[in-house]
């Protein structure tokens, strides 16, 4: 990456990175380029994490939120600066003050700026006084929540729908959309619980909800010498649960005049709070009036999506800027060596966030040990990643695993490059959203730039079904299982060779495959005894097809032909779990229990209630013997600081209850069983998972 900072650093202080994951690795990369000593911190869970291995040295701390331990680590390591990254303590004014009091340089804005902009209520008041347009709304006083009566009255003043959000937080946590007064009390209670859990502050802010809004933010840089510039905007409208999954720069919406107006408003907001460092001012643009924009919030830190700005920003005609380098130089007292007139933008950049989540199940968090990871590379491609093979992904931290960033000369070319790069991305062992990102970028509305913050939710029912394993993938999984039989058979005993030979007609081997979140599927396989790698395969009740299957010598890939189509899969196993990856998608298969029902008209007909993700049980509001209705909450599971109610699938009686508050549960853990009033009969499989049967 080129740099607009021509002068070398006058000093070479050690920098402690008070973070983990991809952002810690990304910051350390810049420290390497600047020849600055990089100090990492880690918890017991992260002792062998990539950011620890990337640093010059690393010190153990009890928790990434333990500011005292981080400051002590900085002193022990000889670090002079602390870079907080984003998340954790990055926007904690108290931590910034503590760093200064300890004689350390906090790489970020002043504590007063963090406090002013970190509190959404103060932030709105501050920027409104500077002439920046804001949405109508109201706010609670810290520590004094509004009563139900006062909350209802205040909401009536601004009208419905309205959006409740924590005053102290960000990232979409705790947000609730309220359409009517009947929903207000429950939504406020849930928002306060999440706000208290995520930010330690339950104070709420309410704003008029904007229909079909676009989320556009502006990157600013401010030095200690009075210069404030903006580096253009980022379009961040593609979101799920109020959290971004795709960002791009520049926005396909803005004209040069609109970009200038929004940039000037961002600079005014930064100047109003005496800002220093890198920051982002976020705006909402109404879908029905794109000539207007309203202040949303200011993030007093580096943003997850900062790479797209780095990719398109040009200083005096040379494209490329390192925002982490800019942060460090500003923190060391340097003046920005360019002005607003020096800044232009070239080409188009897109960032795709790769999350540990399952889009097919409404983006619920996933987890697991990463068995295989392959990242794309090449011209115009950048990957910021904090994972490696062997990394265990849990619900303890944010589900962001990596960021794929591409640049090209125009938006259409950047979209094509992003799709190609996602197709070359493979991650096995933990479910991700990579395949969904490909489907999303290919949708005509996205290609046309017709974006809004509700578009992903709107398109989800259309895009999610295609993420399930199709007949070709199910056939590949069954064939892979069958190859295990070939490897373990006794060639001296003709009856153990799984080629279908019997005294009479050839028989089939029946596999019952289960993928988390889906019903079991039967796949019948019969080998051709004249050709060891040829088979006949029938998936469920579909037509019979010829197939071949061959594994690579190292067992890390599987080549399959099925129904006249050849595919190459990346493969990995973890105990009894088989993972297959192809073209950015990944699937996990397990052998279904012998007594598990086959495909049913209702996926919950048996009344079993399982955890939809790995997490921690917060609440169990029922007891054994209770009569419940379909949709009634049986348990609340927390993952990534988000609450997920788990509902009864049918009307009936709670006959088993395995969940208890405080319990850690894996994906698909049995939480409860609801016995329906009249349970439908289940169809059962033969007596073994890999059974044989006569041909059909």
């Amino acid at each position: 990456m080129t740099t607009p900072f021509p002068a070398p650093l006058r000093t070479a202080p050690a920098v402690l990175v008070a973070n983990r994951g991809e952002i810690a690795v990304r910051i350390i990369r810049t420290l390497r380029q600047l020849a600055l000593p990089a100090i990492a911190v880690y918890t017991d869970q992260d002792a062998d994490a990539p950011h620890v291995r990337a640093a010059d040295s690393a010190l153990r701390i009890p928790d990434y939120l333990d500011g005292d331990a981080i400051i002590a680590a900085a002193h022990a390591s000889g670090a002079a600066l602390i870079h907080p990254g984003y998340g954790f303590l990055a926007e904690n004014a108290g931590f910034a003050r503590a760093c200064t009091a300890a004689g350390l340089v906090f790489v970020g804005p002043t504590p007063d700026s963090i406090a002013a902009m970190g509190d959404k209520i103060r932030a709105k008041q501050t920027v409104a006084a500077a002439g920046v347009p804001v949405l109508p709304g109201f706010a609670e006083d810290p520590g004094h929540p509004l009563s139900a009566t006062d909350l209802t009255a205040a909401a009536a003043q601004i009208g419905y729908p309205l959006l409740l959000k924590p005053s102290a937080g960000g990232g979409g946590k705790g947000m609730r959309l309220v359409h009517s007064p009947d929903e207000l009390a429950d939504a406020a209670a849930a928002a306060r619980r999440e706000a208290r859990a995520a930010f330690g502050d339950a104070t709420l802010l309410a704003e008029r909800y904007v229909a079909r809004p676009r989320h556009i933010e502006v990157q600013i840089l401010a030095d200690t010498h009075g210069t404030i510039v903006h580096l253009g905007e980022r379009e961040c409208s593609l979101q799920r649960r109020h959290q971004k999954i795709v960002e791009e720069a520049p926005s396909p919406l803005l004209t040069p005049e609109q970009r200038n107006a929004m940039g000037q408003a961002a600079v005014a907001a930064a100047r109003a709070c005496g800002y220093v460092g890198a920051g982002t001012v976020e705006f909402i643009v109404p879908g029905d009036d794109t000539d207007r924009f309203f202040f949303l919030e200011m993030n007093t830190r580096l943003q997850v999506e900062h790479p797209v700005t780095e990719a398109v920003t040009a200083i005096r005609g040379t494209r490329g800027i390192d925002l982490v380098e800019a942060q460090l130089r500003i923190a060391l007292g340097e003046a920005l060596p360019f002005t607003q007139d020096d800044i232009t933008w070239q080409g188009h950049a897109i960032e795709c966030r790769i999350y540990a989540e399952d889009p097919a199940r409404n983006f619920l968090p996933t987890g697991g040990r990463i068995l295989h990871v392959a990242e794309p590379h090449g011209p115009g491609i950048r990957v910021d990643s904090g994972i490696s093979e062997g990394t265990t992904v849990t619900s303890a931290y944010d589900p962001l695993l990596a960021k794929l960033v591409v640049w090209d000369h125009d938006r259409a070319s950047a979209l094509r490059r992003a799709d190609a790069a996602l197709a070359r991305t493979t991650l096995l062992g933990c479910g991700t959203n990579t395949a969904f990102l490909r489907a999303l970028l290919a949708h005509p509305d996205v290609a046309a730039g017709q974006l809004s913050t509700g578009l992903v939710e709107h398109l989800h029912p259309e895009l999610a079904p295609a993420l399930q394993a199709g007949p070709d993938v199910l056939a590949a999984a069954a064939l892979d299982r069958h190859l295990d039989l070939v490897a373990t058979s006794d060639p001296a005993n003709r009856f153990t060779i799984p080629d279908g030979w019997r005294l009479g007609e050839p028989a089939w081997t029946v596999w019952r495959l289960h993928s988390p979140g889906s019903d079991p599927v039967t796949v019948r396989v019969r080998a051709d005894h004249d050709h060891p790698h040829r088979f006949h395969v029938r998936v469920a009740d579909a037509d019979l097809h010829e197939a071949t299957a061959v594994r690579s010598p190292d067992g890390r890939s599987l080549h399959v032909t099925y129904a006249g189509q050849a595919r190459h899969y990346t493969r990995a196993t973890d105990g009894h779990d088989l993972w297959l990856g192809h073209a950015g998608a990944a699937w996990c298969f397990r052998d279904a229990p012998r007594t598990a029902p086959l495909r049913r008209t209702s996926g919950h007909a048996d009344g079993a209630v399982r955890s939809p993700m790995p997490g921690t049980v917060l609440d169990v509001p029922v007891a054994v013997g209770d009569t419940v209705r379909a949709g009634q909450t049986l348990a609340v599971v927390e993952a990534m600081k988000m609450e997920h109610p788990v509902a009864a699938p049918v009307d009936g009686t709670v006959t088993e209850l395995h969940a208890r508050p405080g319990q850690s549960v894996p994906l698909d853990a049995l939480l409860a069983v609801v016995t329906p009033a009249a349970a439908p009969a289940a169809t059962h499989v033969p007596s073994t998972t890999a059974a044989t049967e006569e041909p059909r």
Side-chain angles (χ1 to χ4, degrees), residues 63 157 164 244 259 315 408 418 434 461 559 561 622 634:
D63 190 274
Q157 291 293 317
L164 298 178
K244 308 158 191 172
R259 177 173 299 110
I315 308 297
D408 217 312
T434 308
H559 187 79
T561 62
V622 296
L634 303 183

Side-chain angles (χ1 to χ4, degrees), residues 103-125:
L104 300 167
V105 176
F106 178 81
V107 182
T110 65
D112 289 344
S113 294
I114 295 174
M117 293 292 106
D119 182 327
K120 291 184 176 65
I121 299 168
R122 272 185 72 187
K124 287 186 67 173
Q125 295 169 342

Side-chain angles (χ1 to χ4, degrees), residues 439-606:
L440 179 63
L441 293 183
H443 194 275
D445 286 350
V446 176
Q450 297 174 355
L451 312 178
S452 72
T453 58
L455 183 61
V456 172
E457 181 179 350
H458 174 71
L459 295 179
H460 183 257
E462 174 185 342
L463 301 179
L467 305 179
Q468 300 287 0
D472 50 349
V473 181
L474 289 161
L479 288 167
D480 188 89
R481 288 290 201 236
H482 207 77
L483 292 177
D484 285 333
L485 293 183
V486 175
T488 58
S489 62
D490 179 6
N493 184 343
R494 190 68 184 83
F495 289 90
T496 68
I497 301 174
D499 60 359
W501 187 88
R502 292 294 181 271
L503 293 173
E505 292 184 297
W508 295 83
T509 300
V510 182
W511 298 96
R512 300 196 66 253
L513 301 174
H514 167 66
S515 187
S518 302
D519 291 332
V521 180
T522 58
V523 183
R524 295 168 174 84
V525 178
R526 184 179 65 194
D528 185 336
H529 65 271
D530 292 328
H531 301 280
H533 298 295
R534 290 186 182 178
F535 307 87
H536 291 89
V537 180
R538 187 191 302 276
V539 178
D541 296 322
D543 293 339
L544 181 69
H545 289 288
E546 293 184 352
T548 66
V550 180
R551 279 189 198 148
S552 63
D554 63 2
R556 293 172 70 89
S557 63
L558 174 72
H559 187 79
V560 174
T561 62
Y562 170 80
Q565 187 177 53
R567 276 193 172 183
H568 190 80
Y569 296 89
T570 305
R571 71 178 295 277
T573 58
D574 186 14
H576 297 293
D577 290 351
L578 167 67
W579 284 84
L580 295 178
H582 173 76
W587 305 270
C588 177
F589 295 98
R590 300 167 183 167
D591 296 329
R594 289 174 292 178
T595 56
L598 295 175
R599 285 185 181 271
R600 306 179 292 266
T601 55
S602 171
H604 302 288
D606 60 350

